[in-house]
Amino acid sequence: MSQVKIGWSEVDITPKEKISLAGQFFERISDEVESELKVVALAVESDGEQMIICEADLVSIGEYLHEEVKRKVSEKTGIPETKIITGAIH
């Protein structure tokens, strides 16, 4: 039976300053933090194969950010970009 290794991490990405909030038909500017925004990453390895899944507390992730995250994670870990998944959970 093969061994499966799993790693998990969570990082706070809450903006420190006021920002424009997405998701409405009119502009809203933040005035307080109700709950922190996080990015959670899961890394899995089995039989020499590796993958990483990153999920962010965001409404969406633009193509530029998606590609930039995959590139940087790949550079730091050696895991191919095709095995790195990003997503927004809201």
Side-chain angles (χ1 to χ4, degrees):
M1 180 163 44
S2 63
Q3 183 180 21
V4 176
K5 297 178 183 176
I6 298 173
W8 184 272
S9 183
E10 180 179 275
V11 176
D12 184 345
I13 60 166
T14 307
K16 303 303 179 209
E17 64 280 339
K18 293 182 177 196
I19 62 166
S20 178
L21 301 170
Q24 299 290 322
F25 293 110
F26 56 92
E27 185 174 40
R28 294 182 308 147
I29 304 297
S30 64
D31 57 5
E32 65 180 301
V33 175
E34 184 175 307
S35 60
E36 289 86 15
L37 301 176
K38 306 283 185 181
V39 170
V40 177
L42 170 69
V44 180
E45 179 179 342
S46 180
D47 295 329
E49 295 288 327
Q50 300 170 319
M51 71 172 292
I52 295 177
I53 302 170
C54 300
E55 293 293 331
D57 281 334
L58 300 172
V59 173
S60 65
I61 296 178
E63 189 66 25
Y64 172 79
L65 181 58
H66 171 74
E67 295 300 327
E68 189 71 6
V69 167
K70 288 185 0 176
R71 183 184 64 76
K72 287 186 176 186
V73 170
S74 181
E75 286 176 0
K76 290 187 180 245
T77 65
I79 296 172
E81 290 183 26
T82 57
K83 294 186 178 186
I84 300 168
I85 300 168
T86 64
I89 61 173
H90 291 285

